[in-house]
Amino acid sequence: MKFATKAIHAGVEPDPTTGAIMTPIYQTSTYVQESPGKHKGYEYSRTHNPTRTALQNALAALENGKHGICYASGLAATDAVLKLFRPGDEIISTNDLYGGTYRIMRKVFEPFGLKFRFVDMTDAANVREAITANTKMIWIETPTNPLLKIIDIEAVVKLAQEKKIMTVVDNTFATPYLQNPLDMGADVVMHSVTKYLGGHSDTVMGALVLNDDDLAAQLAFIQNASGAVPGPQDCFLVLRGLKTLHIRMQRHCENATKVAQWLEAHPKVGKVFYPGLSSHATHDLATRQMRNYGGMVSFELKGDDYAEAIKVMESLEVFSLGESLGGVESLCTHPASMTHASIPKEERLKAGLKDTLIRLSVGIEDADDLIEDLDQAIQILG
């Protein structure tokens, strides 16, 4: 199937009892058994739930994977991956990444003995230099959050495969509509389903997609044993969201391109971060690796004035100031004080994340209205 057809049909079937075309919400905690251990494939909803099964199958299909495993949040999915490792194991991660990922690595798992190295992965040579005999996993996030850097998945995967190191790609910003890391050799794909896959800012969820049967069994065991599973109502909402993923992502990309081009031409804007701009440092790689450039745009004002950046964000009317991204509505975020506040300032600055950076999740409204909103907010500076 082509992507648009998969988005609507893959992984789901009419309800066998009623013929309902939409997967029912199986709002139950347990299932009646005919005899001890003899059941219809479901015994307890922490372990399995029919609504969740349909969603996991759909997500696996969209990523061209074999196994989909859903968790209560993106960080719960990340937590499950990190639980695969033991004290002394080393993990290499990109240094420009979601603040929550940095926090769970540094504050939760490092005290248990895991070791983390954060490097600029836009140059694969940096990854090679960071690899040691104890390196067990490489965590790739591309496009990165919030500087929209593009990491060469195939190049990093090649390095990892030479050393038999696992690779995990956070594909949240791109979604399977724009790139499929498993097809490039990655072992696992992670999603904050909360974002573009759900697409309507009404649920929190995470997911892992992979092909390896043994690894999938380990992650499913952790899913059940640790219990960080999504409820059936949330699974239903994401199943609904997936059916328009291709249409939404196309509009996100179109609007983000228009917004980024307008910002780049504005006299009061200093630097614009968007892979679709020819001025972007990794534009050529993005063009090769992705089918389009996504709906996220970050920018800095000229003068690098903190008070001015805050004033612009407070003056926006169509863009709502809030955390998260990927919903149909446009959002504006101040990474330094919101999504990335858990990363020490010196680490943020080292990665290029200034306190004046503004991150936009460009929604699917009319692009002219979004540009007009940015224009009036920036004009307030005089």
Side-chain angles (χ1 to χ4, degrees):
M1 292 181 184
K2 300 293 193 298
F3 190 91
T5 309
K6 283 201 293 186
I8 294 171
H9 295 289
V12 297
E13 297 177 357
D15 177 53
T17 304
T18 65
I21 195 166
M22 299 301 294
T23 304
I25 303 170
Y26 286 89
Q27 195 71 53
T28 184
S29 61
T30 192
Y31 306 82
V32 175
Q33 301 189 21
E34 183 180 332
S35 180
K38 187 177 181 181
H39 49 75
K40 296 179 174 63
Y42 296 92
E43 50 192 317
Y44 189 58
S45 277
R46 186 189 67 247
T47 309
H48 294 295
N49 177 282
T51 315
R52 192 169 88 222
T53 297
L55 174 59
Q56 291 178 155
N57 291 340
L59 292 173
L62 291 180
E63 280 289 9
N64 300 328
K66 186 176 180 181
H67 304 281
I69 309 172
C70 287
Y71 298 84
S73 68
L75 280 170
T78 302
D79 175 84
V81 172
L82 294 174
K83 283 175 178 171
L84 295 169
F85 304 101
R86 298 295 177 262
D89 290 347
E90 294 184 1
I91 293 163
I92 300 171
S93 170
T94 178
N95 65 342
D96 177 34
L97 78 168
Y98 170 50
T101 306
Y102 179 93
R103 180 179 58 219
I104 195 172
M105 288 177 173
R106 282 284 200 216
K107 301 297 184 180
V108 178
F109 281 91
E110 201 165 66
F112 285 115
L114 297 189
K115 297 181 180 180
F116 298 91
R117 297 169 183 263
F118 297 88
V119 303
D120 180 359
M121 287 192 183
T122 55
D123 185 349
N126 295 334
V127 180
R128 183 182 290 278
E129 290 177 8
I131 293 174
T132 73
N134 294 322
T135 303
K136 295 297 189 292
M137 190 256 281
I138 298 175
W139 184 276
I140 305 166
E141 184 181 292
T142 182
T144 62
N145 181 3
L147 296 176
L148 288 308
K149 296 176 182 177
I150 306 299
I151 295 167
D152 190 330
I153 296 173
E154 289 184 342
V156 176
V157 165
K158 184 179 179 181
L159 289 176
Q161 289 177 340
E162 290 173 2
K163 304 288 186 178
K164 297 187 178 350
I165 297 168
M166 181 191 301
T167 49
V168 179
V169 178
D170 183 338
N171 204 29
T172 299
F173 272 23
T175 81
Y177 181 70
L178 300 183
Q179 69 183 15
N180 300 108
L182 295 182
D183 292 349
M184 303 178 209
D187 294 300
V188 182
V189 171
M190 194 285 290
H191 282 283
S192 174
V193 178
T194 308
K195 314 305 193 298
Y196 288 108
L197 298 184
H200 294 77
S201 302
D202 54 10
T203 186
V204 174
M205 193 186 300
L208 301 173
V209 181
L210 64 161
N211 285 313
D212 186 272
D213 294 342
D214 292 337
L215 184 56
Q218 291 180 62
L219 291 166
F221 174 83
I222 293 169
Q223 178 199 46
N224 182 52
S226 296
V229 296
Q233 171 73 21
D234 286 342
C235 292
F236 173 86
L237 289 173
V238 176
L239 279 167
R240 177 214 58 186
L242 290 181
K243 293 181 184 296
T244 58
L245 176 62
H246 54 298
I247 299 173
R248 289 185 288 105
M249 286 307 299
Q250 192 59 43
R251 179 57 67 88
H252 283 300
C253 293
E254 292 169 1
N255 283 358
T257 297
K258 292 177 182 178
V259 166
Q261 290 172 343
W262 181 85
L263 284 168
E264 190 172 49
H266 198 286
K268 291 187 181 299
V269 173
K271 189 171 184 179
V272 181
F273 302 86
Y274 184 64
L277 296 175
S278 58
S279 58
H280 191 278
T282 45
H283 171 72
D284 291 343
L285 173 59
T287 302
R288 295 195 308 272
Q289 183 165 278
M290 301 169 67
R291 301 181 190 98
N292 208 320
Y293 304 104
M296 301 299 298
V297 179
S298 295
F299 70 99
E300 299 165 355
L301 297 168
K302 281 185 178 175
D304 199 28
D305 186 282
Y306 181 79
E308 287 189 343
I310 297 299
K311 191 173 183 180
V312 167
M313 287 184 276
E314 290 175 344
S315 302
L316 291 167
E317 297 174 357
V318 180
F319 282 88
S320 297
L321 183 62
E323 297 200 17
S324 199
L325 59 105
V328 292
E329 67 289 316
S330 292
L331 290 175
C332 172
T333 297
H334 181 234
S337 66
M338 297 166 76
T339 55
H340 292 66
S342 58
I343 301 178
K345 184 172 181 177
E346 61 272 18
E347 292 294 324
R348 294 199 306 267
L349 292 175
K350 192 186 300 182
L353 200 177
K354 297 181 180 179
D355 285 352
T356 52
L357 185 81
I358 298 171
R359 191 192 75 182
L360 303 176
S361 174
V362 181
I364 64 172
E365 303 95 336
D366 190 288
D368 290 340
D369 289 331
L370 298 177
I371 290 171
E372 184 177 329
D373 188 36
L374 288 165
D375 192 29
Q376 64 81 24
I378 295 174
Q379 280 183 12
I380 289 174
L381 301 178

